[in-house]
Amino acid sequence: MHPFAYQRASSEQAAVEAGNPGPGVRRPPTEAAAQFVAGGTNMSDYMRLNVTRPDVLIDINELSPSAYGHIEADSAGLRIGALVRMAEAEDHPVIRSDYPVIHDTLKLAATRQIRNMASLGGNVLQRTRCEYFREASFPCNKRQPGSGCSALDGFNRRHAVLGVSDACIATYPGDFAQALIALDARVEIMGPQRRRTIAFSELHRQPGGTPNVETGLAPGELITGYVVPAGPHTRRSRYVKTRDRESYQFALASAAIALDLDGATVKDVRIALGGVATVPWRAHEAEQLLVGQPLDETLARRAADAAFAQARTREHNGYKVPIGKETLVRALLETQAMDV
Amino acid sequence: MADHPGTGKSRLSLHRRGFLTAAATGATAAVVARGAEAQTSEATPAAGVNPRTPRPVTLSVNGQTHEIGLDARTSLLDALRDHLRLTGTKKGCDHGQCGACTVHIDGKRALSCMSFAVMAEGHEITTIEGLAAPAGDLHPMQQAFVDQDAFQCGYCTPGQIMSAVACVKEGHAENDDDIREFMSGNLCRCAAYPNIVAAVKQARDAIREG
Ligand SMILES: Cc1cc2nc3c(=O)[nH]c(=O)nc-3n(C[C@H](O)[C@H](O)[C@H](O)COP(=O)(O)OP(=O)(O)OC[C@H]3O[C@@H](n4cnc5c(N)ncnc54)[C@H](O)[C@@H]3O)c2cc1C
Ligand code: SF4
Ligand code: FES
Ligand code: FES
């Protein structure tokens, strides 16, 4: 592991300043000299693998609990601080009852030990599990820009089929982000220059020609929290995750659904797909096909076909298209059948 | 998990402190060289300080306070095992994938391999050594693992027990399915799983009866 200096940030201002690389330095936060750590469950792993090599590690766990550590719920929606732990949000009574898709994405992720440690800020920024990215001796455009992608013609069974480029096909591994993008969440960000709020769907970047740029965050920018608007669709919401084993495994394919029904007719629907795309993925084409129509299995299958129409497969991940479709069909029908 | 297992690199840490004193001059040179290689004008707040120099860290483990000097890279797991000689906590994968290193931090189960020891300062850590009563009576969960024969080689057992104690406390041990789901972070290569589920249930009932 690369040697690093450890600092605890006592305030938001101090954290942002410590993370500020100064004027003129343009590189993604994951390549910056000073980087944040929250739960450390992603950071320590990639530091140990020599994939992430900060000179300075800024511990943000002592930032104001009122801004970073709480979940607030009212009729307008939720505000979830970035230092709230996965397990805390999973156990929250309002999230359980009124936003079940959020609860599901957390409960079905990692393990309780990890969920006790992992923050929701760190969670959405967790890095890909691509085997070649993790093993620092392989060429990888994300880890070492321009070195090539070992996965394109390598072992790419877990790799993405949507949002891929010729430079990178790494899967975005997280679950919680699928609930956030489905529910049109917003992200609050505090940076060296200013405070800003963006749509969650604008946070992550598809790999394109620069797979090392994973988000629109600049070094020194902190995620403060998420705002999830309330709506008639949030209660009838669900996450279905297909894995190699029943528990403690990343998604091969998953679907987050939020549904507002009038009888059998779809008034409003939000669909996000996990395990199959390079970023948290909203399936707008599938949504458009469903709105105004009576939902049954035939329609769900047409929506699934639309969701995967642009899929680009490689040697070992072709199975993700049928499995991804099946996961989406099941998720739609199970969400429809929910008792709310 | 299909991720690569640990490489066992941290074996080094057994002698890290001695090694560091001997290599201090070389280490400074290496930091300067890496700065040059990065080729930016980025100011690092640590400029001038050798990050390899051990820093004083105070850890509170099983109710006792320890002051030790640690390289910031030391995981909580390595600090417990190699510096405090509390070897009950095991290293399986060193990457958060097996649960052998499970301890309690402020009463909640956590993975000591994924935490830097410096981050644990100010928090209360409990390891398997701190579970039994001072008089030596086993914790009901330890007793249940013995009674139910919930292990073969025993390597995963300290992690299983720490995880199981928390699982009961959280209220996630109500039925077999819940126990399996909420204990899935503790792998057992010997596959003692049915006996582990039985032990968790025995201890759950024993703890309730107090
Ligand atoms: C074995 C294993 C299995 C897993 N399985 C799953 C799974 O099934 N599903 C799933 O979704 N996840 C899974 N995870 C990933 C886990 O959820 C993440 O590691 C965790 O959520 C990261 O949160 P953290 O607080 O520990 O982040 P850290 O490791 O502390 O940080 C991660 C990144 O986020 C940055 N960061 C952290 N907080 C902020 C902030 N507030 N503002 C700006 N930047 C910040 C850090 O600089 C770093 O780059 C698994 C992990 C492991 C080890
Ligand atoms: S898929 Fe992306 S992360 Fe994996 S080797 Fe290729 S460039 Fe690297
Ligand atoms: S040693 Fe395997 S999870 Fe920590
Ligand atoms: S008893 Fe051998 S690994 Fe569990």
Side-chain angles (χ1 to χ4, degrees):
Chain A
M1 194 187 299
H2 180 67
F4 64 88
Y6 169 81
Q7 297 179 355
R8 280 191 190 194
S10 51
S11 69
E12 186 180 60
Q13 206 58 46
V16 164
E17 263 161 37
N20 185 358
V25 181
R26 284 175 172 274
R27 39 176 167 163
T30 48
E31 293 170 13
Q35 300 185 28
F36 300 126
V37 66
T41 61
N42 196 244
M43 202 62 179
S44 70
D45 192 10
Y46 285 94
M47 286 170 69
R48 193 160 298 141
L49 291 165
N50 256 324
V51 170
T52 310
R53 299 162 58 85
D55 295 322
V56 181
L57 199 59
I58 309 159
D59 183 340
I60 59 171
N61 287 293
E62 284 174 10
L63 299 189
S64 155
S66 61
Y68 283 84
H70 283 170
I71 299 173
E72 289 149 45
D74 61 25
S75 57
L78 294 172
R79 194 224 169 243
I80 310 174
L83 286 175
V84 170
R85 306 295 145 169
M86 290 171 80
E88 290 170 338
E90 168 191 352
D91 292 346
H92 195 273
V94 177
I95 289 184
R96 237 176 223 274
S97 60
D98 294 357
Y99 302 82
V101 67
I102 298 182
H103 170 80
D104 293 352
T105 58
L106 295 166
K107 187 187 162 186
L108 297 177
T111 69
R112 188 69 183 195
Q113 285 99 312
I114 293 170
R115 302 200 297 273
N116 277 338
M117 303 171 79
S119 70
L120 295 176
N123 181 281
V124 306
L125 298 175
Q126 65 176 289
R127 311 200 62 201
T128 184
R129 311 299 289 193
C130 168
E131 291 84 348
Y132 303 104
F133 173 73
R134 285 176 67 82
E135 175 45 61
S137 59
F138 282 97
C140 167
N141 287 326
K142 190 189 274 298
R143 179 167 30 73
Q144 209 179 345
S147 62
C149 171
S150 300
L152 287 177
D153 296 313
F155 183 66
N156 45 36
R157 179 176 173 272
R158 299 203 294 171
H159 288 72
V161 297
L162 294 169
V164 296
S165 75
D166 294 337
C168 179
I169 56 170
T171 303
Y172 174 79
D175 297 302
F176 173 62
Q178 311 305 338
L180 289 181
I181 199 168
L183 297 180
D184 285 325
R186 298 183 66 75
V187 192
E188 298 172 351
I189 297 163
M190 169 70 183
Q193 268 77 46
R194 66 200 164 108
R195 207 177 275 284
R196 62 191 180 115
T197 304
I198 61 170
F200 186 79
S201 57
E202 287 167 16
L203 181 65
H204 291 85
R205 295 281 152 88
Q206 290 187 24
T210 53
N212 60 319
V213 181
E214 296 175 344
T215 67
L217 293 177
E221 280 194 316
L222 272 173
I223 295 183
T224 314
Y226 310 102
V227 174
V228 182
H233 53 278
T234 67
R235 263 178 174 254
R236 187 182 292 284
S237 69
R238 190 176 183 83
Y239 188 61
V240 172
K241 182 172 175 182
T242 304
R243 300 177 262 191
D244 277 328
R245 59 180 178 202
E246 263 301 294
S247 182
Y248 195 11
Q249 187 61 281
F250 289 94
L252 294 175
S254 68
I257 312 284
L259 195 53
D260 183 20
L261 290 174
D262 182 3
T265 304
V266 176
K267 276 173 78 180
D268 188 10
V269 61
R270 323 287 174 93
I271 302 174
L273 302 176
V276 292
T278 53
V279 287
W281 190 265
R282 188 79 181 257
H284 289 292
E285 303 81 0
E287 293 174 4
Q288 280 156 18
L289 215 134
L290 293 169
V291 172
Q293 306 292 321
L295 179 56
D296 60 10
E297 188 174 334
T298 313
L299 184 69
R301 288 200 181 280
R302 277 181 51 216
D305 288 341
F308 284 88
Q310 306 295 323
R312 278 170 59 194
T313 61
R314 312 285 309 183
E315 187 179 356
H316 303 291
N317 65 0
Y319 76 98
K320 284 207 171 186
V321 174
I323 287 211
K325 288 183 185 176
E326 214 52 49
T327 303
L328 174 51
V329 169
R330 194 195 299 173
L332 280 168
L333 298 178
E334 286 182 7
T335 311
Q336 180 180 35
M338 278 173 79
D339 210 1
V340 298
Chain B
M1 301 272 119
D3 295 325
H4 296 287
T7 52
K9 271 179 222 144
S10 37
R11 290 283 134 76
L12 253 186
S13 58
L14 266 178
H15 303 293
R16 186 175 283 158
R17 290 173 71 189
F19 169 81
L20 280 170
T21 328
T25 337
T28 316
V31 171
V32 173
R34 148 108 179 138
E37 165 200 308
Q39 285 181 345
T40 70
S41 57
E42 219 162 329
T44 77
V49 180
N50 182 351
R52 292 174 204 248
T53 308
R55 54 181 281 155
V57 177
T58 306
L59 290 180
S60 178
V61 185
N62 302 329
Q64 275 192 305
T65 304
H66 304 265
E67 280 182 41
I68 45 179
L70 290 180
D71 182 312
R73 288 173 289 183
T74 314
S75 66
L76 177 58
L77 173 60
D78 287 344
L80 292 170
R81 290 182 54 84
D82 300 344
H83 295 264
L84 301 182
R85 306 284 170 201
L86 291 169
T87 53
T89 307
K90 300 300 183 217
K91 182 183 288 187
C93 64
D94 218 13
H95 286 278
Q97 299 177 10
C98 75
C101 66
T102 303
V103 298
H104 295 177
I105 302 181
D106 296 332
K108 291 184 174 169
R109 50 177 160 159
L111 300 176
S112 58
C113 75
M114 302 226 98
S115 199
F116 293 112
V118 285
M119 292 177 71
E121 223 173 12
H123 298 276
E124 185 57 48
I125 295 140
T126 310
T127 69
I128 189 76
E129 289 91 346
L131 208 55
D137 292 338
L138 292 182
H139 184 282
M141 192 63 76
Q142 290 172 308
Q143 189 60 52
F145 268 67
V146 175
D147 293 348
Q148 299 293 338
D149 203 12
F151 45 79
Q152 286 183 39
C153 77
Y155 196 79
C156 70
T157 310
Q160 299 279 2
I161 291 177
M162 295 309 286
S163 197
V165 168
C167 185
V168 170
K169 197 169 120 192
E170 290 157 12
H172 290 136
E174 294 310 303
N175 54 55
D176 289 19
D177 281 354
D178 253 12
I179 295 172
R180 283 195 202 97
E181 174 60 36
F182 282 90
M183 288 295 292
S184 71
N186 293 84
L187 305 189
C188 176
R189 276 306 257 174
C190 302
Y193 297 113
N195 308 47
I196 293 170
V197 174
V200 174
K201 287 196 287 189
Q202 176 186 321
R204 173 198 67 198
D205 296 342
I207 291 166
R208 283 203 185 139
E209 282 156 24

